[in-house]
Amino acid sequence: HQVTTKDEEIADLQKKLQKMQTALDDANHNVRGQQMEFGMYQNATKSKLSELHQQKKILKKEVIDLRNKIDELGSETNMLQHKCEHLDQTVKNEQQRNQVLEKYVSNMEKQVSVQQNMMEI
């Protein structure tokens, strides 16, 4: 009677061991699947990170180029502004010169007119 109980106990323990072994196999299978998913995710992340790093380098270079362009345009604008100011001053000077010449011509015309009137008398 005791042998049967021991045999039953052994059979019960073997069933438990079988169930535990199956559960362990299932858990190992799940872990391998998760490791594969994680590996793929990790590779995708590395790839995306590398791509973003390249884009960052490109954008950095573009920012530097744009800043240089802004500096160039600023210098060019300053140069053109000085040139424009110089031309404005030249125009003012010429206008003043023209006014002086117009007064001179007007005075000369008056003198000629006076001299003509004197000659007629």
Side-chain angles (χ1 to χ4, degrees):
H1 187 248
Q2 253 187 349
V3 173
T4 315
T5 308
K6 293 279 186 189
D7 287 342
E8 288 174 354
E9 203 175 305
I10 290 174
D12 189 39
L13 287 174
Q14 285 178 337
K15 284 181 185 178
K16 285 182 181 178
L17 177 64
Q18 184 69 29
K19 284 182 183 180
M20 288 181 167
Q21 189 65 42
T22 302
L24 179 63
D25 290 345
D26 288 346
N28 283 335
H29 180 73
N30 287 339
V31 166
R32 281 191 297 274
Q34 288 177 349
Q35 285 175 335
M36 285 177 51
E37 283 182 40
F38 180 74
M40 290 187 309
Y41 175 75
Q42 190 176 23
N43 288 339
T45 302
K46 283 180 184 177
S47 175
K48 187 66 175 176
L49 190 60
S50 175
E51 182 182 329
L52 289 173
H53 184 67
Q54 289 299 323
Q55 289 176 352
K56 181 182 173 185
K57 281 183 181 179
I58 291 168
L59 290 174
K60 244 182 176 179
K61 185 182 180 322
E62 287 180 6
V63 166
I64 290 169
D65 290 346
L66 288 172
R67 284 183 181 158
N68 289 339
K69 190 73 169 178
I70 287 171
D71 289 344
E72 285 176 28
L73 290 174
S75 296
E76 193 173 316
T77 300
N78 286 340
M79 182 188 69
L80 291 173
Q81 189 174 12
H82 288 295
K83 202 173 200 178
C84 190
E85 289 170 0
H86 176 72
L87 289 174
D88 283 346
Q89 188 61 44
T90 302
V91 166
K92 286 178 185 175
N93 290 343
E94 287 299 315
Q95 286 173 341
Q96 288 175 352
R97 185 172 174 259
N98 283 342
Q99 286 175 353
V100 168
L101 289 174
E102 285 176 7
K103 284 181 183 178
Y104 178 75
V105 167
S106 176
N107 285 338
M108 292 300 281
E109 287 175 343
K110 285 179 185 176
Q111 283 181 2
V112 167
S113 176
V114 167
Q115 285 179 359
Q116 282 178 348
N117 285 338
M118 299 266 300
M119 290 179 98
E120 289 176 7
I121 295 180

